[in-house]
Amino acid sequence: MADKNQDQIVAADPLYNSLLAQIGDALESGRKTAAAQVNAAIVRTYWQIGKYIVEFEQAGNEKAEYGSETLKKLSKDLTTRYGNGFGLSNVTKMRKLYQSYPILQTLSAKLSWSHYVELLKIEDPLERSFYLKECEQENWGVRELRRQMKSMLFQRLALSKDKAEVMKLSEEGQIIEKAEDVIKDPYIFEFTGLPQLPVYKEGDLENALIDNLSTFLLELGKGFTYVGRQQRINIGGRIYKIDLVFYHRILKCFVLIDLKRGEVQHEDIGQMNLYLNYYREEMNTEGDTEPIGIVLGAYEDKLMVKYATQNISNQLFVSRYQLYLPDREQLENEINRFLDSKEEN
């Protein structure tokens, strides 16, 4: 009984609780460090195996494609000697890892073998380099990487840039320096599940986005933090509600989003301009920069948007969203046409 009371006293001691928390933090940190080191060692080892395979092929003047007798035999013998992990598919990926990253130093110690398995699916080296940089900078897990690849993030960002900026994008990842850098067109909301509904309302879309907030933040991009939904503001005794409000920690500004189920109208743009003026005057505090407004619709009339936004000094953008994944071939064709037109000009 005395021991039990003693345990209760110790457990209630704030100094002891602090000690316990410190030890827990140290253990967690140590485990993460160990796991990262193991992952890095695995990637380096697989790269080395890929190098040996390629050198063997080159020495014998052999071009071993997937399913070749050499790789089949190697997979079988390695599995017999060293156990699982050396299936034909995995051995082929090791070979491709070396071919895609012939310089060992270009591999990231932050990425696991599972990350590289996804990256090796990308044939375009510019696109592959972009996703590697984003994984490093944003600490994407494999799930996040897979989702961004499926949603064609690189292609969507590249469409708004010239050839030199596309090269920079692939080498450095997405750099946020101004409001335009956080805008996508289109945004991809396939995770909401709304295409399965015959009819949906703007409230349904808003609910679905909040219900999948972590994925929604991933789609919005780096730097976004959630503030709230249906934010009420009072202007001249009249109450307005802003669908979604975020704060961008890099640009240090509020980001207001208004959702439209159908086409964006000029009244929607005027209303967002009203919201931005209010936030600039009433909500900004010292250190905050100009707020950003995004009107998101299923589609838009570009000419109307041009005239409706002309001479507006606020950072106001109109963009589209899709409830399904984009078509890769269509986006790649758009990029090629875009880059070709930039070169001609």
Side-chain angles (χ1 to χ4, degrees), residues 2 46 57 82 94 102 120 128 144 171 205 227-228 233 265:
Y46 286 175
E57 293 169 353
Y82 303 106
M94 296 174 198
L120 291 175
R128 188 169 58 243
E144 287 84 359
E171 294 169 357
L205 175 59
V227 175
I233 60 176
Q265 304 294 327

Side-chain angles (χ1 to χ4, degrees), residues 214-228:
S214 60
T215 310
F216 183 30
L217 288 170
L218 182 66
E219 173 60 15
L220 288 175
K222 60 183 68 177
F224 281 84
T225 57
Y226 177 63
V227 175

Side-chain angles (χ1 to χ4, degrees), residues 14-76:
L15 292 177
Y16 173 80
N17 289 334
S18 176
L19 170 65
L20 192 62
Q22 287 176 325
I23 293 173
D25 290 343
L27 284 171
E28 187 67 24
S29 176
R31 287 170 179 171
K32 287 181 179 179
T33 300
Q37 291 174 345
V38 168
N39 281 328
I42 289 173
V43 171
R44 288 195 303 269
T45 301
Y46 286 175
W47 179 90
Q48 191 71 55
I49 292 171
K51 181 174 184 287
Y52 291 152
I53 293 172
V54 171
E55 289 176 344
F56 173 83
E57 293 169 353
Q58 290 173 343
N61 196 27
E62 177 187 1
K63 294 183 179 179
E65 300 297 336
Y66 184 93
S68 74
E69 291 304 315
T70 299
L71 290 183
K72 285 181 180 179
K73 186 176 187 308
L74 191 59
S75 169
K76 181 179 179 180

Side-chain angles (χ1 to χ4, degrees), residues 187-197 200 205 208-209 261 298 321-326:
Y187 289 81
I188 306 299
F189 296 156
E190 91 292 346
F191 54 86
T192 62
L194 289 178
Q196 301 171 11
L197 300 179
Y200 69 91
L205 175 59
L209 293 175
R261 185 173 64 86
Y321 65 83
Q322 291 180 189
L323 299 175
Y324 51 88
L325 292 171

